[in-house]
Amino acid sequence: MRETIVVGSGVAGLATAIRLQHAGNQVLVIEKNSTPGGKLGNSLKKGYRFDLGPSLFTLPHLVDELFLLTGKNPRDYYSYKQLGVSCAYFWEDGTKFAAPANVEDFAHQASRIFSESEAHILKYLSKSKLKYDRTSPIFLEKSLHKVSTYISKDAFKAICSAHSLGIGNTLHQLNKKSFTNKKLIQLFDRYATYNGSSPFLTPGIMSMIPYLELGVGTYFPIGGMYEITKALYKLAKDIGVRFKFDEKVVRIEVKDNTVHGVATINGFYEATRVVANSDIWPTYKNLLPKQKLPKKIKKHERSSSALIFYWGISKEFDQLEHHNIFFSNDYQSEFRHIFANRSVSSDPTIYINITSKSHRPDAPVGKENWFVMVNTSANYGQNWPALIQDVRKNIINKLERMLKVAVESHIETEFVLDPTEIERKTGSFRGALYGASSNSRFSAFLRQPNFHKSIKGLYFCGGSVHPGGGIPLCLHSAKIVSNLISENSK
């Protein structure tokens, strides 16, 4: 069997290992941490369970596909359920919108709350679906760096509909043309944060994202997001993938422009192929020291990062849902702070994820587990201890004002994750959650390809390379890599 090494066991690394093992390769996954999952981890604190990273689950069929590919029943490994409310939105004037995770219901209720035409909302969401259907087969499911990608029926359809994809406008400009209500514009602007970007900079094509949440649905794995990691890890082991944990890769060995294996802190492992599921910056800097980081990647702006407060709350809040957003009063100023000032607004938008709403055992009876996040700049040497104190104070003041409850008095356990810790624990350069931002119409083409153009046998998967960050895109990157390796093996 052909020996292949996957460096890193994030969701993309696990999915790549499964696909390649099933295709006839002997796969070894080498992970520096003691457990798999990368950002998709969890933590138990005083009776509370917290998902540490990604909190939104869409396109569950992309996970199920890996089990079906190998002849397994995905329900034997994990289960999930669809949420009735995609997200509850709150504004300072008391407006609340519990958004149904269904296109028709969303349009009907949004029309009533925001005094917008139901037909206009449905039209917007219909265009969102069209953009996804037109672009996904090209920009998400295939390599953008192969000529064959553009010689297809899918490419022809995408080119023919280019005028309607919103590439010439920013997401905010497109939303402002579509609606008159500022709150509804802000609601649709927030989808830029799903890939760590600003709605005032990212192209309007990103308006396809709402379709994934409202058209396909919003889901939750029973037991938490970490169940995805556990299920994929178990599947990988069941089909023969081997793992080595607590072993750091220090170098990818390249001779005569061909991969020969990897060197770790414990020794050398020979391989004819290496797939790096590590962030592209440290991959070049540390594992490929003789290779120059491509200029386009070096210049590519980092995505946003986050400050996340994990709070065990000694009270249940009936007005909150599984996913919640408390909007800032000045959205443009908030993103200017993130991407221009590299700071955090004094009035940040707050996201609260409460998995105990959907899985009661995640918190003690009568209590809730809060994952409280604000978007921040990536790490450029800011004084994070001071920022954490300021942001925590602003979050509590805002939540107590809007919920009319003394939130701080109900916090009985707490820990914090900041960009420096995200970088230390996951290897993400500067703690950027999605690698590079999408604050440019050319962003998709600036990402690292899923293969090295001059080193035979070297491939890349994960959130810092094509097609981008987030669970669905990481799974797409795994499929792209496995297809590339299959094609190159013929």
Side-chain angles (χ1 to χ4, degrees):
M1 298 178 76
R2 298 178 295 276
E3 183 76 14
T4 300
I5 291 175
V6 177
V7 180
S9 64
V11 66
L14 291 171
T16 301
I18 290 165
R19 288 184 175 278
L20 293 179
Q21 184 76 25
H22 176 70
N25 299 273
Q26 180 58 61
V27 181
L28 171 64
V29 179
I30 304 178
E31 167 63 54
K32 69 175 182 178
N33 294 312
S34 58
T35 56
K39 297 184 181 74
L40 199 59
N42 80 161
S43 179
L44 302 175
K45 299 286 184 180
K46 298 181 180 179
Y48 295 90
R49 192 200 67 82
F50 299 94
D51 284 314
L52 296 178
S55 58
L56 180 66
F57 188 32
T58 59
L59 301 179
H61 70 275
L62 295 179
V63 178
D64 284 358
E65 184 179 81
L66 294 165
F67 297 90
L68 298 173
L69 173 70
T70 57
K72 306 290 186 181
N73 181 353
R75 300 294 78 81
D76 291 338
Y77 289 79
Y78 84 119
S79 297
Y80 56 83
K81 62 181 178 181
Q82 186 167 4
L83 302 182
V85 173
S86 65
C87 188
Y89 297 94
F90 299 81
W91 286 268
E92 287 275 5
D93 65 0
T95 301
K96 177 186 174 181
F97 176 45
N102 168 281
V103 169
E104 289 75 20
D105 291 343
F106 177 94
H108 179 71
Q109 294 190 33
S111 174
R112 179 176 56 84
I113 295 290
F114 303 110
S115 300
E116 289 278 2
S117 163
E118 186 172 340
H120 284 170
I121 297 172
L122 285 171
K123 183 179 179 180
Y124 180 95
L125 293 173
S126 176
K127 287 183 177 179
S128 175
K129 180 181 185 304
L130 178 65
K131 289 172 184 177
Y132 179 79
D133 289 343
R134 286 284 187 266
T135 59
S136 179
I138 301 299
F139 290 93
L140 305 182
E141 299 175 20
K142 295 180 181 178
S143 170
L144 289 182
H145 306 87
K146 292 287 186 179
V147 174
S148 58
T149 297
Y150 304 95
I151 308 173
S152 66
K153 186 184 295 185
D154 289 332
F156 179 75
K157 288 181 180 179
I159 292 170
C160 289
S161 57
H163 65 285
S164 63
L165 297 180
I167 298 174
N169 296 320
T170 67
L171 180 60
H172 177 71
Q173 289 170 339
L174 185 148
N175 290 336
K176 197 173 180 180
K177 287 181 180 180
S178 302
F179 306 109
T180 58
N181 186 286
K182 291 183 179 179
K183 291 184 176 68
L184 189 59
I185 292 170
Q186 188 176 31
L187 188 157
F188 281 114
D189 276 356
R190 75 168 282 260
Y191 285 99
T193 65
Y194 281 39
N195 58 18
S197 305
S198 164
F200 304 94
L201 298 171
T202 199
I205 194 172
M206 294 305 172
S207 64
M208 69 179 176
I209 298 176
Y211 164 68
L212 303 183
E213 190 172 291
L214 302 173
V216 179
T218 306
Y219 300 84
F220 176 68
I222 306 302
M225 295 294 287
Y226 190 59
E227 292 299 312
I228 298 173
T229 292
K230 289 165 61 178
L232 293 180
Y233 175 54
K234 185 176 187 306
L235 173 62
K237 289 204 301 180
D238 285 352
I239 65 172
V241 176
R242 295 173 296 131
F243 288 85
K244 286 189 177 294
F245 293 104
D246 295 310
E247 187 162 353
K248 184 178 180 180
V249 174
V250 295
R251 188 172 60 258
I252 297 173
E253 291 288 357
V254 178
K255 295 179 182 178
D256 299 324
N257 295 324
T258 301
V259 160
H260 283 261
V262 303
T264 75
I265 56 174
N266 293 338
F268 177 76
Y269 298 89
E270 188 175 349
T272 55
R273 275 182 297 270
V274 172
V275 183
N277 179 216
S278 46
D279 187 282
I280 195 62
W281 273 74
T283 297
Y284 269 94
K285 181 181 178 181
N286 301 326
L287 308 187
L288 295 164
K290 294 182 180 180
Q291 303 293 322
K292 288 186 178 180
L293 181 71
K295 288 183 179 179
K296 65 178 183 179
I297 296 174
K298 193 172 185 179
K299 293 180 179 179
H300 203 169
E301 179 185 40
R302 296 299 87 195
S303 79
S304 60
S305 186
L307 279 177
I308 307 172
F309 298 84
Y310 304 89
W311 289 343
I313 300 290
S314 64
K315 172 182 169 56
E316 291 185 290
F317 286 72
D318 293 337
Q319 64 268 56
L320 298 180
E321 300 286 344
H322 186 117
H323 300 286
N324 306 271
I325 289 286
F326 293 79
F327 275 119
S328 64
N329 282 320
D330 190 340
Y331 219 31
Q332 190 160 13
S333 173
E334 181 179 356
F335 283 96
R336 188 163 53 246
H337 272 84
I338 294 171
F339 289 104
N341 301 342
R342 294 177 178 172
S343 62
V344 185
S345 167
S346 60
D347 177 30
T349 293
I350 304 165
Y351 166 70
I352 303 179
N353 173 250
I354 311 171
T355 63
S356 60
K357 293 286 188 183
S358 300
H359 187 63
R360 186 59 266 174
D362 280 356
V365 175
K367 302 179 180 183
E368 294 179 341
N369 61 334
W370 284 21
F371 169 114
V372 184
M373 184 184 94
V374 299
N375 293 308
T376 72
S377 163
N379 177 34
Y380 290 91
Q382 299 94 319
N383 184 348
W384 290 109
L387 280 172
I388 289 171
Q389 286 189 343
D390 289 343
V391 171
R392 186 184 189 277
K393 179 182 68 175
N394 292 332
I395 287 175
I396 288 174
N397 288 341
K398 187 182 183 77
L399 292 178
E400 292 188 340
R401 185 171 65 247
M402 295 177 74
L403 292 174
K404 297 179 172 54
V405 174
V407 172
E408 187 167 23
S409 67
H410 292 287
I411 300 173
E412 60 179 27
T413 184
E414 174 181 28
F415 61 101
V416 185
L417 190 63
D418 66 33
T420 62
E421 277 295 286
I422 293 171
E423 182 171 21
R424 185 183 69 81
K425 290 181 177 180
T426 70
S428 300
F429 181 59
R430 297 194 183 281
L433 293 180
Y434 304 89
S437 76
S438 293
N439 287 337
S440 159
R441 71 185 66 179
F442 304 110
S443 293
F445 299 93
L446 296 176
R447 285 184 174 273
Q448 168 69 38
N450 300 103
F451 62 97
H452 198 286
K453 293 183 178 180
S454 61
I455 299 177
K456 183 180 178 181
L458 180 57
Y459 299 86
F460 307 93
C461 68
S464 69
V465 302
H466 176 72
I471 294 172
L473 298 191
C474 284
L475 293 173
H476 278 311
S477 77
K479 191 171 185 178
I480 291 170
V481 166
S482 63
N483 287 340
L484 288 171
I485 289 176
S486 177
E487 292 170 8
N488 292 338
S489 298
K490 293 177 180 177

